[in-house]
Amino acid sequence: MTHQPTAVVIGSGPVGSAFARTLLESDPDVRVVMFEAGPQLTETPGESVRNIPDPAEKERARERSQGPLSGSYRESLGIPGTAVVEGMFTARQGTYLLDFGGEGSAHSVGFPAAAAATNVGGQGAHWTAAIPRPAFSEKIPFIGDEEWEELIGEAEHLLHKQSAAFADSALGAAIRSLLEEEFAAELPEGYGVSTLPVAGDPQPDGTMRWAGADSVLGPLIDPSSPLSQRFELRDLSLVRRVEFEGRRATGVTVQDLRTGETSVFPADLVVVAADAFRSPQLLWASGVRPRALGHYLTEHPVVISTVALDAGKMERFANEADLVEEQARRAKNPADPVAAVNRIPFSEPEHPFSVQVMYADVPPFQLDPAHPLSGNRWGYVNMGYGVRKRPRYEDGVTFDDAEPDFSGFPNMTIRYELTAAEEAEIAEATERLRRAGGALGHFVAEPRLLPNGSSLHYQGTMRAGDTDDGTSVADPFSRVWGYEGLSLAGNGLIPTATTMNPTLTSVALAVRGARQAASDLRSKGGRS
Ligand code: FAD
C-alpha cells in the first residue's frame, strides 16, 4: 500500500485555512489535519461572529474566543465559568491582551495593545473583513507583478471579495464626493477616493454575510465535496511542539485540551499558522531559533477620529429620500454596525497612508446625550489613517525558557518603539485627518494616535526573504530556511512596511506556499 501523505496545519484562521485548501486542491492524495487550540464557536466552523443575529449569543461567542483565561472558554472545557482570572480584560471584542497583567501574562514594553484570539477561525471570526490590495513598496518584493496578480486574484476569490459592498449607498457616495473635493487633486490616477473592498456575500435583503475562515475552507467543510473526505479540523487541540528528525519535520506533539492527554501526531508536512506571536513562540519552543525569529515586528500605527456628518455638506450630494433609505437598510440589521465603507488607498510618494472611512448611524462610543452632536440625523464616520512602521531588528518578541506563560510556553516579552520616521508621518496623517473631518462635518472625537498594537495587524516576526542572510525566517515559498517539511503561514511573513489590512496579502502568500509544498510533497513521495 502506498503511503498517504499527511499535512498538519496549526491554527484555523483564514490564512491557515487558505494553506489547507490550496494544498488539498493541488495534491489529489494529501490528507490535511488542522489543529486549533480554541473552541468552535458557530455551527459552521470558522464563521464570522458578526453574522450571529442574537446580541447575547454574539457576545458569548466573543468571550469564548478570549483565551484560556476567559470564563466561557473554561466552560467549554467543563471548568466552572466563574473562575475568571482577575485583571483579565478584552482588547477588542473577541480578542484578549497578551500582556493582560495576570499570572503567566506576556510582558510588553511599548506595544501594550498586542492581542490574540483563540477560537476556530482565529481573529478571522472577529475581523472587519477589509481586504485592500497592497501597493507600491507595500508589495512583496520577491514576487513578480504577473504572478502577484494571479495570486492576489486567487486570494480575493478565497475570501469572497466584494468590491461593490454598499456601493449603492447614496450616503456613501456623498461622503466620497466630499472627500474628493478635498483631496482628489493631490492623489495619483487610480489611487483616489473609492469604496473599500471587503470579504463577504451580500444578501438579497441588502445586508452582508461576512466572510471568515468558513468561506476560505469552502469545500473542505462541505460534506458533499470529495475534498472534505481528506480534511479534518480538531478544535481544543493545542500543539505544544513540532517534532523533528535532524532538520526534517516529522509531526507534532498535540494536547487534547478536553482530556489533557498529549500525543504525537506524525506528518510529512507541518504548517505553522498560529499568528504573528504564537507561531514564533511555537517554533522557539520546538528548538527552531533562527536569528530573525520574532524580530522586525511591524504594524501600522493608526490615527483615528469620529466625525458627525454635517447636514448642509451631505445635502449637496444626497437628499432626504436617500437618508430615509439608508436608515431603513440599517434597521434590517441593527446588530451589524458597519455600512458604506470608503477609503483612500496608499500611493507613493504623494499619499503614504491607507485611510478607512466607515459610515455608521451611531458613534462607536457612548456620546453624552447632552452633546450638541448627539443623535446626529445624518450619522457619523469613523476614520482612521494607517501609517508605515519601518522594520527594525530591535522591534519584536523574545522568549524566556525559564519563565512559562499561562499555557506553559516560553513567555514572551515584546519590545517596540516608534522612531522619528514614524513620528513625522503620524503628524502628517493627523493633519490630513483634520482636513478630512473638516470636509465632512464636525469632530465628536478629536484625531488621536491609538496605543501601539491596536491595529491587530502584526507583521514581520517570521518574515520571508529571498536570501538566507539572517534577516528572514522563511524562503520566498514560506518554508523555514534550513528545514524540510516546515512551512509558515500568516501576517508574520510580510517583510515590508505596510499601511493597510494584511490578511489578503497573507492569503496570497499562503496560496504560493501551499502550491510549492504540494510540489515538494509530490517529489518527496516519488509521485509526479
Ligand atoms: P489567526 O486568525 O490569528 O488564527 C491563528 C489561530 O491559531 C488562532 O485561532 C489560535 O488559537 C491558533 N493557535 C495558536 N497557537 C496554537 C497552537 N499552539 N496550537 C493550535 N492552535 C494554535 N485583517 C484584515 O485584513 N482586515 C480587517 O479588516 C481586519 N480587521 C480586524 C478586526 C479585528 C477586531 C481583529 C481581531 C482582526 C482584524 N484583522 C483584519 C486581522 C485578521 O483577522 C488577521 O489578519 C487574520 O485573522 C490572520 O489569520 P491567520 O490565519 O494568520 O491567524
Side-chain angles (χ1 to χ4, degrees), residues 9-17 35-38 50 92-96 116-132 196 237-240 254 273-276 278-279 282 356 409 455-458 489-491 500-504 506:
V9 176
I10 306 165
S12 65
V15 185
S17 298
F35 291 111
E36 167 54 55
R50 289 165 63 193
R92 291 256 287 277
Q93 281 185 317
T95 69
Y96 59 98
T118 300
N119 54 273
V120 170
Q123 289 194 28
H126 310 285
W127 71 329
T128 312
I131 50 167
L196 180 68
S237 297
L238 177 68
V239 173
R240 295 220 153 261
V254 59
D275 87 27
R278 287 177 289 177
S279 292
L282 180 62
Q356 227 168 272
F409 283 95
S455 74
L456 297 161
H457 302 155
Y458 313 133
N491 302 332
M500 41 88 225
N501 325 65
T503 310
L504 180 72
S506 295

Side-chain angles (χ1 to χ4, degrees), residues 199-389:
D201 298 302
Q203 302 300 297
D205 68 356
T207 62
M208 191 69 144
R209 183 185 184 281
W210 296 101
D214 61 330
S215 316
V216 179
L217 290 169
L220 278 54
I221 51 170
D222 172 0
S224 70
S225 162
L227 289 181
S228 71
Q229 308 295 310
R230 294 187 281 125
F231 177 71
E232 193 188 333
L233 167 59
R234 297 189 193 171
D235 75 344
L236 292 167
S237 297
L238 177 68
V239 173
R240 295 220 153 261
R241 263 185 77 81
V242 182
E243 299 297 334
F244 295 94
E245 257 172 44
R247 291 194 150 227
R248 186 170 60 83
T250 55
V252 293
T253 292
V254 59
Q255 184 178 15
D256 179 333
L257 295 177
R258 290 187 175 88
T259 62
E261 266 167 44
T262 293
S263 56
V264 173
F265 188 92
D268 304 275
L269 169 70
V270 174
V271 183
V272 186
D275 87 27
F277 288 108
R278 287 177 289 177
S279 292
Q281 185 186 41
L282 180 62
L283 291 172
W284 179 272
S286 309
V288 179
R289 300 180 173 189
R291 176 184 175 273
L293 188 74
H295 294 274
Y296 302 101
L297 169 66
T298 66
E299 66 158 352
H300 49 80
V302 199
V303 187
I304 64 152
S305 74
T306 303
V307 169
L309 292 167
D310 179 80
K313 292 180 197 290
M314 289 295 285
E315 278 164 358
R316 291 179 45 229
F317 296 100
N319 58 33
E320 180 65 23
D322 295 328
L323 177 58
V324 170
E325 192 184 317
E326 182 71 45
Q327 284 168 340
R329 174 161 67 176
R330 302 302 309 281
K332 280 189 201 140
N333 192 3
D336 184 1
V338 176
V341 281
N342 290 312
R343 55 114 177 229
I344 308 175
F346 178 89
S347 58
E348 275 174 315
E350 294 87 350
H351 190 264
F353 309 105
S354 285
V355 188
Q356 227 168 272
V357 185
M358 321 286 271
Y359 169 76
D361 52 13
V362 287
F365 50 84
Q366 192 68 43
L367 190 60
D368 183 350
H371 191 290
L373 293 167
S374 169
N376 188 44
R377 221 172 144 252
W378 281 86
Y380 303 83
V381 288
N382 300 307
M383 286 193 291
Y385 268 71
V387 178
R388 285 179 285 203
K389 166 75 172 103

